[in-house]
Structure formats: C-alpha cells, structure tokens
Amino acid sequence: MASKALAQAGEQAGLAPPSPHLAVLVQDLDSMGRFLSGRGRGQDGGPLEVTAEEHGRISRELSEVAAEQRSAVEKALGTVVYAGGDDLLALVPAAQALGVARACHDTVRAPLPTASTGLLFFHHDSSLREALHRAHELLAEAKRREGKHGLGIGYIRNSGAHAECVVGWADGAPPEEALRVFMPRGDSARIRLSPRLLADLIAERTHLDGGADGAGEDHRPLPRGVAEAEMRRLIRRHTTVAPPPGGSAPPEAAPKDDEKLKRAFAHDAVAALARLAPEGRLLDEDAVRVAVFLRQEVL
C-alpha cells in the first residue's frame, strides 16, 4: 500500500511511473585461479610471485574493490548480497543497472585480471530463483568469449518473453552506451521510434549481414557499405521528430532541422548496432531486442 501511494504521489508530481523490472548484477574476475597460481602479472608488471606476501597484497586490493563496489551499488539504492572483490552479487534498480554495472566493472584495475559481468532484468512478479540462475548463466556466457572480459545482458518479461546478448567491455565504444541506442539524448531526445523498426530490421537481416540461417541467392548479404546505408534508410523511415519544447524553432526551419536530426540519429544507431553484433556483422537480433526492451521498460 505504501509503494502504491508513493507511485501515485509521483504521478501527481509529473514523474514517470517506476519500472516494474529489477536487475540482478553478477561479476567475477577472469581466470583468477590462473592469476594466483603465478601465471598472472604482479604489481611491477612482471610474473606474479606465488608468496604469502604477494597474496596478502592482492587480498587487500580485493577488499578495496569490494568496498568500492558496495558503495557504487548502495549509491544507486541497490542491495549488495555479496561482494568479495573477486566476485559480486547485487540487486539494483533497473533504471540504474547499466551505470552500476559499469561502475563495478571499473573498480577492477591492473594488475588484477579483467572482470566479466552478467546483468539480467526481470519483472518483479518473476521467480527470484530463476532470475539468479539466468544471471549466472549470462555471466558464464560472457566468460566464454574469446579473451573473456564480457558483458552478458538480458531480460525476462512477465509473459516469459526473453532475449540476451554478449558484448565485450573493451571492444571499442562502451557497450552500455551502445545498449542505449534507442534512447537518444541531447538534441536527439526528440526522436520517436516506430515499433515496426525492429520487425523490419529482423526481416532484412539476411541481406544486411547474412546473420540468419539459410543459403542460396536470396540470402546473399549486401556489401557492407550498402548494408549500412540501407540500415540508415530503414531507421530514418521509422523515426519521427517531436516538436521542440515551446516551439522555439521557426516553422520554416523545422523540416530541414528534423531531417538533419534523423540523419545524425540513424548514423549513430547503425554504429551502435554494429558494436552490439558479433565481429564482422552489422546486426544481432537479440541485441536489438535487448536495446528495445531497455527503451520501453527501463531507461
């Protein structure tokens, strides 16, 4: 009753309703056993010495990491279940989850090994046991990447619909920014997307990057430059631009300015979707579904 009253008060104050989803965050250092057995790098950059003194220093570093992670989670009004420095389990508000995942990842610094992450968004009526299990599966998938250092991210809707993808923490632009592809900010915040965009991208994916199963003439992908241009066209086709606040732009300038915004957004969106796709491809269906979910339900 108290939470409903709070939500109603927020609505009366003009605030957006709270998300019905929560997030489970799990993190684990990559190949920690290998690191501690002397096949890692020490503080001076050389091979890690397998001594009580060196292990004690690492233990102190992990304690500092755990304290920083706890602070990052609690600052976002999340709850730490366990933080040992080498591994982490926390529940965090959905709207803050991507930022918390980044903050916790960044607490791990050299000479410690890299960290992999699993992040699952789940409906508050879903099974917590299942959410925890799936979050750890996402972490395992992230660790199966070549070189590990991955972010496995997914969602489970109340209906049971789900999707997930794995991206690298260090492969180019920050993955959390790419996942926000359909939530433009700044001048592009006026961009509005049609729900048909996802369906059209999926329908054309064999021609865009050959990512779907199939063979033969009908499944031959377009040259990359042509495919990128076609993706930009589809995105522009499914975007509209809301009027600026207060109608500040002169009416005669609106069409030209709107088209410029749409073109800039389409360019950035194609780059972000390629960032989320496997190497050499432009589009990953599940990654697009995750990005759309974040726009609709979380961010």
Side-chain angles (χ1 to χ4, degrees), residues 11-235:
E11 184 178 357
Q12 292 170 359
L15 300 177
S19 171
H21 295 86
L22 303 170
V24 178
L25 172 66
V26 290
Q27 181 173 291
D28 187 61
L29 297 193
D30 298 322
S31 305
M32 192 61 178
R34 179 184 178 89
F35 178 77
L36 292 176
S37 67
R39 287 172 287 180
R41 291 293 173 181
Q43 195 170 24
D44 60 358
L48 181 71
E49 297 181 20
V50 186
T51 64
E53 181 181 355
E54 188 69 5
H55 280 195
R57 183 188 61 77
I58 292 171
S59 179
R60 290 190 295 273
E61 285 190 12
L62 292 176
S63 295
E64 293 173 1
V65 167
E68 291 181 36
Q69 291 175 346
R70 186 176 295 275
S71 175
V73 171
E74 293 177 349
K75 185 177 180 180
L77 303 181
T79 298
V80 174
V81 179
Y82 178 79
D86 57 335
D87 57 354
L88 169 71
L89 170 60
L91 295 171
V92 292
Q96 308 297 327
L98 284 174
V100 173
R102 163 57 73 178
C104 289
H105 167 272
D106 289 352
T107 62
V108 181
R109 296 175 287 271
L112 291 173
T114 56
S116 289
T117 309
L119 182 63
L120 179 79
F121 296 88
F122 67 101
H123 194 274
H124 68 85
D125 282 338
S126 301
S127 163
L128 179 58
R129 182 187 298 273
E130 175 62 24
L132 290 169
H133 175 70
R134 186 62 195 127
H136 280 95
E137 285 187 335
L138 286 170
L139 174 60
E141 290 174 14
K143 283 178 166 289
R144 280 194 285 269
R145 288 183 75 248
E146 184 178 357
K148 304 187 179 183
H149 201 197
L151 167 63
I153 181 168
Y155 68 83
I156 302 176
R157 292 184 182 272
N158 196 31
S159 63
H162 61 89
E164 57 277 327
C165 64
V166 176
V167 290
W169 274 117
D171 301 339
E176 69 274 22
E177 289 302 312
L179 288 161
R180 294 187 179 101
V181 56
F182 297 133
M183 279 296 292
R185 288 166 286 183
D187 291 339
S188 295
R190 296 192 288 122
I191 291 287
R192 300 293 181 267
L193 291 170
S194 163
R196 287 291 306 166
L197 173 60
L198 174 59
D200 277 6
L201 287 173
I202 292 172
E204 295 296 327
R205 68 190 183 279
T206 54
H207 302 296
L208 295 173
D209 70 359
D213 293 334
E217 195 71 23
D218 292 340
H219 296 278
R220 183 176 299 170
L222 296 167
R224 188 175 180 92
V226 177
E228 289 175 344
E230 175 62 10
M231 286 179 67
R232 290 193 292 268
R233 185 192 70 81
L234 287 173
I235 291 169

